[in-house]
Structure formats: C-alpha cells, structure tokens
Amino acid sequence: MKYALITGGSRGIGRAVCIKMAQMGYQIIINYVNNTTEAEKTLALVRENGQDGEMLRFDVGQMQQTREALDAWQQAHPDDYIEVVVNNAGIRRDNVMALMPAEDWSSVLNTTLNGFFNVTQPLLPAMQIHRFGRIINMASVSGIKGLPGQTNYSAAKGGIIAATKALAQEVAKKGITVNAVAPGFIKTDMVEGLDEAALKKTIPANRFGTPEEVAELVGFLASPAAGYITGNVIQINGGLYT
C-alpha cells in the first residue's frame, strides 16, 4: 500500500489533491478539523476514483493532537508509512496590520507554519528509512509577492517557502524531495467575498484557476518523474505575478 496524507483535505484544493492522488494509486488519508460531512464527501470521491482512504481528524496547529493522531495511525499500520504529505491546511484572517487582532496574527501562522512542522517532522524518519518521500507544501502568491491586508498570511506562506528550501537540502540524499506550490486566485472557499470580476482584470489569463489545475501540479511533484526537482517554489497563477 502507498499512502498519501493531505491536510485540509475535506474541501477545495485539498479535495482535488485527494482525488488526484487516488487516481495515482495512493491510499488517501484525509485530514480535517471540523467538517465531517465534507470529509466524508471527499472520501466517497476517492473511492469513486478506484482507491480507498480514511479520515483522520486533528488540528495541525496543535502539536500534541497531531502527534497523537499520527502515532495512532502508524500503530494501526505497522508495516506501512506515509510516503507523500501535502501540507495544504491553512486559514485566512485578512486585515490591515494596524487593525489586526493579535489572535488573527497568531492563528494564521500557527495553522500554516507550525502546522507544517507538526505534521512533517514526525513523518520524516520513516521516509528516511525507506529512502523515498515527497513533501509538498501549499504556499501562495501572497508569500512571494506580499499582498496588502494579508501581512499574517504573507508571513506564514513566506515562512513555508523558506522552510521548503532549507528542508529540501537536509533530506535530498535520502531520496526525499521537498517543494512548494504557490497558487494565485483559485476558485475555492478561500476566495469567497473577493471581487472576482475586478480581480480577473489583474490576471493575464483573465480567470481564476481551478483546484484541479493545482492538483495536477501536486500530482506531478509527487510522482517519480519529479525526483530531481526539490527545493523549488512553483507558481500557478495565470500570470498574475512572475
């Protein structure tokens, strides 16, 4: 069995990645926090695409909760390991910094940046033993360009990018690649409330991207064909920022 863990896998980009990885022959571990109904829908779609999966509920921002969930999974699968992890979980709490509550700063960095550490660090030893692993981190154009009203989000995604580059150098000799995907505006719940008509005018492709397009990129980075690609940040934004 080949296993892939997708954090924030119940909806949006996470759901599309779960489906893509199922099509590639992986057993899917769908991480979610609250929305059991949507996670169940993702699991049903995984099964429709020819593979099985399971739901694993934990908050990536809570270290002990994450470790306990991953330890329990490993104990239930003593002969297996998670060879692909897609760190997709993230939240937005947009505001100009002058008016930003401290909690909104902390919660965004905790979920995105601390979540990356909490999930990835305990999975690394098994990847190193098996001398194969794929770590794919969901960054954002906000972490490359910086966007006003997203100082917290930009800081979190920028941190993910820097961590991707550093970790890639640590584990390359063990056959593990670490890359980041940096989407622009993608039609998911995360862009609800934004003025799509106005924003499309700023995008050379004149449209928002789809979760499936992001999932195709993630699938390639997870594949054996991408074994010589590591430490990279690949933008998928319709030309919004180059």
Side-chain angles (χ1 to χ4, degrees), residues 35-209:
N35 201 328
T36 303
T37 300
E38 292 299 320
E40 289 173 343
K41 289 180 182 178
T42 299
L43 181 56
L45 290 167
V46 164
R47 290 170 174 162
E48 287 177 14
N49 281 271
Q51 292 297 326
D52 204 355
E54 57 193 293
M55 303 187 316
L56 197 59
R57 184 174 184 172
F58 62 88
D59 181 348
V60 300
Q62 301 296 322
M63 179 182 289
Q64 182 174 349
Q65 188 181 125
T66 300
R67 299 297 171 91
E68 288 175 353
L70 294 177
D71 286 346
W73 184 91
Q74 192 63 70
Q75 290 170 13
H77 303 78
D79 299 323
D80 299 306
Y81 83 108
I82 296 170
E83 68 175 58
V84 175
V85 58
V86 181
N87 288 299
N88 171 71
I91 60 172
R92 276 179 44 214
R93 297 287 186 273
D94 294 354
N95 207 336
V96 295
M97 190 169 181
L99 301 176
M100 183 177 292
E103 172 58 27
D104 286 356
W105 172 270
S106 299
S107 62
V108 169
L109 265 75
N110 190 48
T111 297
T112 297
L113 195 53
N114 291 347
F116 155 76
F117 176 82
N118 295 342
V119 172
T120 306
Q121 197 270 347
L123 300 180
L124 280 171
M127 290 183 183
Q128 291 173 320
I129 290 169
H130 289 86
R131 301 191 69 82
F132 182 86
R134 295 286 187 265
I135 299 166
I136 301 163
N137 302 318
M138 201 58 63
S140 168
V141 66
S142 183
I144 299 171
K145 179 181 182 291
L147 293 176
Q150 290 193 334
T151 307
N152 50 359
Y153 195 70
S154 292
K157 295 301 188 179
I160 280 286
I161 288 169
T164 295
K165 292 175 179 290
L167 181 59
Q169 296 174 68
E170 294 179 8
V171 298
K173 289 182 180 179
K174 296 291 187 179
I176 303 167
T177 65
V178 190
N179 291 290
V181 173
F185 293 109
I186 308 297
K187 289 186 71 71
T188 69
D189 293 348
M190 289 284 280
V191 298
E192 285 185 359
L194 300 181
D195 187 341
E196 182 174 350
L199 289 170
K200 283 197 299 186
K201 296 176 182 178
T202 70
I203 303 169
N206 196 38
R207 66 175 178 89
F208 281 13

